[in-house]
Amino acid sequence: MTINAHRASFYALALAMLAAPNLALAQDQSPEQQPEQAAPAAGGLDEIVVTGRASASELRKAEASFAITTLNDATLRMSNPISAAETFKQVPGFWVESSGGEGSNNVRSRGIPTDGFSSVALQENSLSVQYDGGLGYMSPDQSFRFDETIARVEAVRGGPASIFAPNAPGGVVNFITRRGTDNPGGLVKYTWGDYGLHRVDAYYGTKLADDWGVFVGGFYRQSNGLRDMGFKAEKGGQIRATLNYEDGRNSFLLDVKHIDDKTPFYLPTPFTFDGEGKIIDVPGFDGRRGTLAGPENRRVPIKLVGRSFEFDLTEGSHTVSTQLTVEGSFAASDSVTFETRTRYRDSDMQRNAVFPTGSVQTLAGFTQSIRTAALAAFPGATNLVARYATDGAPFDSSSNGNGLVVGGNLLAVSIPIRELITDNRFTTQFDAAGTHSLAIGGTYGWFSYDYEREMGTTLLDIQDNARRLDIVAVNAAGQTVGRVTDNGFQRYGSLFDDAAMSVRSYALYAGDEWQITPALRLDFAGRFEKIDITGLVAKKRTVNLGDPTTLADDQVITAATGFDRVDRSFDDWGWTVGANYQFSSYAGVFARYTDTFRLPSAGEYNGNPLRTDMRSVPIKMAELGFKYGSPLLNLFVTGFHTKFEGVTFTDNVFNSQTNQFDQRFVVADTKTLGLEVEAVIRPVRFFDLTVAATWQDPQYKGFVYTEIVNGQPVLRDFDGNQLMRVPKLALRAVPAINLFDGRFRTELEVEHYTKRFPDVANSQVLPAYTVLNLNARAQLTEQLALSANVTNLTNEIGLTEGNPRAGSFIGGDAGARYFLARSIFGRTVRASVSFRF
């Protein structure tokens, strides 16, 4: 189905959703519909947790033998996160980079050395949104949007997560949706933001009969984006409809969700230093709200072999997806239950963005680096001059107040994917030296995708919404005799990939929770998994398009005759054992050891079909925890140790001389020792304090390789260095005031992160930073509520990553006066009004 056809179906569904409130007015409002004002996130010790386990018995949060955080409905409404990744910030143990926007963010847990969601499972109703979260340019948060249909969140770090979910050694974050049998009633919510945001959320759910319920909900919004691109960069929404049955013994759910949504993908921007060494904005550029992407690169033709490809920046990260989920729980007898969950999705994902590449340079420095080759290419040329590509206006060392230039890759990636995931298990309870809750099950995952990647490398100036530059060769009379660039392109067709991949995964697992005494419980679980990866990857060749007046078309990468075949299989097994001892109903200790794995991803072969270094990565994790709950204090403290063995690290460095990426691979270990603390203190009724803190010492082990520098071998030894981009201390403290019998609540979020490094060598520092956010919510009547969220009150520059395209082993920007880095967003204000019925 085409994107336009998908869009038409989306709007039809949206109209149906907006009609639902009219039907709702005829329904009686039950007490279950009354809004609950916000409560601290670490509360709810009596909550029944369902994530990270497979069992027939109920388990309270206070009795879990693993680290789990729950975020209830009131907490989510209070913080009003703009993305799935933003919710992770409320969970200790996670390091989250949400500076990429609503999708394609990076999440790490307890010393995970890989990016994206490659080792953390994003789930919706206890089933992975995407079986493999490590596929290139296909993070699962691209196919997931947080909205008012989400009722609560459960997050498990480490522990049993990797046994009962695929690709989840770092943990599972499970977003649980509202259901009609919960009788949630209806809601309409409008949100305004100071970056051109207009958003409407709505839902309605009710019981059709005692055991049947129906629910429909979703959102639609548009905005200029948190970094202004000069056009409507965010546009779209989602809708879901759910039918469910629940009688206490058996349950059934049918859920259909459709997404048609465009969001920008934000990338590093330029920064510099003041006289005291403090990081500041480059003159002419706002590092908090600005972006190099802009209207001039909104639609640009890229010359390729036999055709021209139109790069369309307005597509951004465009996801058009329809998913169908069926789940059920059926009591075969008084002691045996069959549980099943199956999801199929059909998605088309387009990722178009301007990726700054190389390093920021002065115009003089850049022209000097290419001068010899450029003048030799055009006989009679004596000098190089810079002009704007669109209007020919001159560019010099004083332009924009900085005279700086940077490479810009106009990258377009298209990935249609079809995926089926099914998880089925039998659970039973029986008595034998205590009570056993046993589960035996399996997961099957199949997905196939096409991967098409096109790119052209441009030269950009440095300003908000950068413009393309041309470098032309002139003779002594100032006449043009040749063009180094063409329409701002240094190289047409600087990247090309065309792959078709298919993956089948099979997993068997079993687990037993053994309640030996009322105070002591042991649990054991194991998982065996096998993955088969097959596919075809187009061979490549380099072609000169034949224009003698420019160098930009001399090396266009395109398809060659034939394909390289991928046919790989991997398997491994893991296990976990845990013990929990309860001193009382609300105080206990637990210990756990997990020996697990991470199988290779099909995404590793998209551009490297012949690589032979991929294998299963062994992972070992140990944790020891204490938990306590009382009206005054809820406290969860977990110490952990994590080791990844034989991880393949990849360094993709953009070579400014060849305008292409050079790759290097190193196999090494990582080791992390850390402590998580989660607490809520309630000294008086009108005040509470929530604290989530993680201290860790994440290190590379055995990261040693030899590099050829100026023809000579140089040994690089980074053993013991801090894991890139992960802080040793992440602290989130939220003092809050509750007034008027809890009908008004205001929170000040204080987030502090210690220094980090953007490269394995730890050669460049990303300084420590503190960010303040303010949340407020007023329940004016039983139906009407107002809320406001102000992020980054002090407009702090907080760098979350450096310039990975200049080197992630050894940063290319280390020691430079000007450098690229991705910062958190500047101060933003959002305000909402919601009406329940």
Side-chain angles (χ1 to χ4, degrees):
M1 182 180 292
T2 66
I3 286 180
N4 287 334
H6 275 296
R7 185 178 292 114
S9 62
F10 168 78
Y11 290 127
L13 287 169
L15 291 173
M17 181 194 77
L18 294 175
N22 298 324
L23 300 176
L25 295 177
Q27 304 292 328
D28 293 329
Q29 187 178 32
S30 73
E32 296 171 337
Q33 293 172 274
Q34 301 307 315
E36 174 193 5
Q37 189 58 305
L45 293 176
D46 283 320
E47 285 182 303
I48 303 300
V49 297
V50 299
T51 306
R53 58 192 298 260
S55 174
S57 63
E58 291 187 342
L59 181 69
R60 297 187 309 130
K61 179 181 176 181
E63 300 168 341
S65 58
F66 47 86
I68 184 167
T69 296
T70 57
L71 306 175
N72 62 24
D73 179 74
T75 299
L76 294 172
R77 262 67 263 174
M78 188 74 194
S79 59
N80 197 19
I82 64 170
S83 66
E86 280 289 325
T87 64
F88 286 45
K89 288 186 176 181
Q90 303 182 54
V91 181
F94 284 116
W95 161 244
V96 182
E97 295 176 1
S98 57
S99 53
E102 280 201 47
S104 306
N105 288 296
N106 291 317
V107 176
R108 298 191 181 198
S109 170
R110 294 183 172 181
I112 286 177
T114 54
D115 292 331
F117 287 78
S118 57
S119 297
V120 175
L122 176 61
Q123 290 190 333
E124 184 178 281
N125 293 328
S126 301
L127 197 62
S128 295
V129 171
Q130 183 169 296
Y131 194 95
D132 183 356
L135 299 175
Y137 297 94
M138 287 186 286
S139 295
D141 61 340
Q142 280 190 252
S143 300
F144 181 86
R145 296 290 184 269
F146 181 87
D147 66 8
E148 293 288 334
T149 66
I150 303 299
R152 71 183 195 276
V153 177
E154 295 181 357
V156 173
R157 284 93 67 197
S162 63
I163 305 302
F164 301 116
N167 302 305
V172 170
V173 180
N174 187 16
F175 291 79
I176 300 170
T177 62
R178 305 181 194 274
R179 304 190 178 193
T181 51
D182 297 331
N183 211 32
L187 175 139
V188 176
K189 175 182 175 182
Y190 167 73
T191 302
W192 168 89
D194 65 350
Y195 49 95
L197 173 66
H198 299 280
R199 171 169 171 151
V200 176
D201 288 73
Y203 69 73
Y204 179 70
T206 187
K207 290 183 177 180
L208 296 176
D210 289 342
D211 302 327
W212 287 93
V214 65
F215 178 86
V216 61
F219 77 93
Y220 183 83
R221 62 98 174 76
Q222 64 178 25
S223 83
N224 298 326
L226 291 163
R227 296 182 181 273
D228 192 356
M229 291 189 175
F231 52 83
K232 293 293 181 185
E234 293 185 334
K235 190 172 184 179
Q238 76 176 5
I239 185 169
R240 77 165 69 241
T242 302
L243 176 70
N244 80 298
Y245 172 86
E246 176 67 59
D247 66 8
R249 279 174 55 86
N250 303 292
S251 65
F252 170 80
L253 177 138
L254 174 64
D255 179 87
V256 180
K257 183 175 73 171
H258 181 76
I259 301 174
D260 185 351
D261 193 31
K262 294 181 181 181
T263 61
F265 181 49
Y266 300 111
L267 289 143
T269 58
F271 291 92
T272 188
F273 301 93
D274 64 11
E276 299 178 353
K278 180 182 177 181
I279 294 175
I280 59 172
D281 291 332
V282 169
F285 194 93
D286 183 351
R288 302 164 187 83
R289 298 298 293 266
T291 174
L292 293 172
E296 185 163 297
N297 292 313
R298 186 172 181 172
R299 289 187 177 89
V300 186
I302 301 177
K303 294 179 181 178
L304 302 173
V305 177
R307 63 189 176 96
S308 178
F309 172 80
E310 183 174 75
F311 173 80
D312 186 356
L313 183 59
T314 65
E315 282 291 284
S317 291
H318 188 181
T319 298
V320 180
S321 177
T322 300
Q323 74 173 37
L324 173 68
T325 305
V326 178
E327 65 177 72
S329 177
F330 307 102
S333 68
D334 290 340
S335 60
V336 178
T337 299
F338 174 68
E339 299 178 11
T340 180
R341 294 178 177 87
T342 300
R343 174 173 296 141
Y344 176 79
R345 70 178 175 116
D346 184 337
S347 298
D348 287 307
M349 286 180 277
Q350 183 74 39
R351 170 88 73 83
N352 290 5
V354 178
F355 288 73
T357 193
S359 299
V360 177
Q361 300 180 67
T362 62
L363 175 62
F366 175 76
T367 54
Q368 184 61 34
S369 69
I370 64 172
R371 183 180 182 86
T372 300
L375 295 184
F378 301 109
T382 60
N383 196 18
L384 300 177
V385 297
R387 301 169 181 167
Y388 280 106
T390 53
D391 59 14
F395 179 88
D396 58 33
S397 60
S398 64
S399 296
N400 302 319
N402 56 57
L404 300 174
V405 299
V406 70
N409 287 332
L410 306 189
L411 177 62
V413 184
S414 175
I415 314 171
I417 181 171
R418 313 293 177 260
E419 181 172 52
L420 173 70
I421 306 173
T422 182
D423 183 272
N424 302 276
R425 67 186 64 156
F426 286 95
T427 64
T428 185
Q429 283 187 281
F430 60 90
D431 294 331
T435 301
H436 294 262
S437 185
L438 180 67
I440 299 176
T443 304
Y444 171 75
W446 166 86
F447 58 90
S448 70
Y449 65 86
D450 295 328
Y451 180 85
E452 298 178 5
R453 186 163 61 165
E454 305 276 10
M455 188 175 82
T457 299
T458 64
L459 181 66
L460 304 175
D461 69 351
I462 297 294
Q463 63 170 309
D464 292 340
N465 306 139
R467 300 179 62 193
R468 298 191 310 281
L469 295 171
D470 270 333
I471 303 297
V472 297
V474 297
N475 60 21
Q479 298 169 323
T480 300
V481 296
R483 293 169 294 123
V484 177
T485 65
D486 180 43
N487 194 27
F489 281 88
Q490 300 182 66
R491 181 180 180 182
Y492 290 116
S494 52
L495 190 64
F496 167 82
D497 286 295
D498 185 5
M501 307 294 289
S502 181
V503 178
R504 296 182 187 274
S505 293
Y506 316 82
L508 297 175
Y509 58 80
D512 182 21
E513 294 183 1
W514 180 15
Q515 194 73 46
I516 301 173
T517 71
L520 178 63
R521 187 180 71 258
L522 298 179
D523 65 83
F524 318 85
R527 179 186 185 91
F528 173 81
E529 186 168 4
K530 183 177 187 295
I531 182 173
D532 296 325
I533 304 171
T534 59
L536 296 174
V537 179
K539 294 179 180 292
K540 306 172 191 176
R541 62 190 175 109
T542 301
V543 175
N544 188 329
L545 297 186
D547 185 349
T549 67
T550 182
L551 303 180
D553 74 339
D554 287 2
Q555 293 182 309
V556 174
I557 304 175
T558 188
T561 301
F563 296 85
D564 289 317
R565 180 176 295 276
V566 177
D567 190 354
R568 303 283 191 273
S569 293
F570 305 92
D571 61 72
D572 210 336
W573 74 285
W575 54 274
T576 185
V577 57
N580 184 77
Y581 185 82
Q582 293 294 124
F583 302 114
S584 68
S585 296
Y586 294 100
V589 293
F590 71 87
R592 179 172 294 278
Y593 182 81
T594 302
D595 189 332
T596 187
F597 58 91
R598 173 56 161 99
L599 295 179
S601 169
E604 301 291 344
Y605 299 98
N606 290 342
N608 299 278
L610 303 180
R611 64 187 301 178
T612 59
D613 60 320
M614 302 308 300
R615 66 184 185 91
S616 178
V617 175
I619 303 165
K620 295 176 174 58
M621 299 181 287
E623 52 192 310
L624 179 66
F626 169 78
K627 53 230 166 130
Y628 171 79
S630 74
L632 173 64
L633 172 67
N634 287 353
L635 178 64
F636 299 83
V637 179
T638 306
F640 62 88
H641 180 270
T642 305
K643 185 176 182 181
F644 282 66
E645 299 177 346
V647 183
T648 298
F649 295 94
T650 305
D651 194 22
N652 289 295
V653 182
F654 193 80
N655 188 323
S656 58
Q657 300 300 314
T658 62
N659 287 314
Q660 66 183 18
F661 285 97
D662 297 332
Q663 283 192 326
R664 180 185 295 113
F665 303 100
V666 171
V667 177
D669 301 343
T670 68
K671 184 176 71 173
T672 302
L673 181 69
L675 183 71
E676 300 168 353
V677 177
E678 183 176 18
V680 178
I681 306 169
R682 310 178 188 87
V684 292
R685 184 177 181 182
F686 62 84
F687 176 81
D688 58 73
L689 173 65
T690 302
V691 176
T694 304
W695 175 88
Q696 57 186 325
D697 183 16
Q699 298 182 13
Y700 292 102
K701 291 297 179 182
F703 203 114
V704 180
Y705 67 96
T706 299
E707 182 179 5
I708 303 300
V709 179
N710 297 323
Q712 299 297 318
V714 177
L715 180 67
R716 306 294 191 186
D717 186 349
F718 302 138
D719 184 77
N721 283 11
Q722 184 174 325
L723 286 189
M724 58 185 294
R725 308 215 302 250
V726 179
K728 286 192 173 182
L729 176 65
L731 172 65
R732 183 177 183 272
V734 186
I737 296 175
N738 303 284
L739 301 174
F740 308 114
D741 294 325
R743 302 184 72 85
F744 175 80
R745 178 178 173 87
T746 184
E747 301 175 341
L748 178 65
E749 297 180 354
V750 182
E751 299 175 12
H752 177 74
Y753 306 99
T754 55
K755 70 178 182 181
R756 287 139 294 109
F757 302 95
D759 60 352
V760 178
N762 292 179
S763 62
Q764 181 184 4
V765 175
L766 302 177
Y769 68 91
T770 301
V771 61
L772 305 180
N773 308 313
L774 181 66
N775 304 318
R777 182 176 172 87
Q779 195 70 45
L780 302 182
T781 69
E782 291 181 347
Q783 290 78 31
L784 185 64
L786 301 178
S787 62
N789 304 92
V790 184
T791 59
N792 197 0
L793 277 167
T794 60
N795 218 26
E796 176 81 355
I797 294 177
L799 304 184
T800 64
E801 72 169 33
N803 180 13
R805 281 153 290 280
S808 58
F809 287 2
I810 302 176
D813 284 348
R817 178 183 177 186
Y818 302 101
F819 64 95
L820 291 168
R822 189 161 67 180
S823 173
I824 62 175
F825 301 112
R827 184 188 303 111
T828 61
V829 179
R830 289 175 295 148
S832 302
V833 56
S834 59
F835 183 79
R836 290 181 182 263
F837 49 87

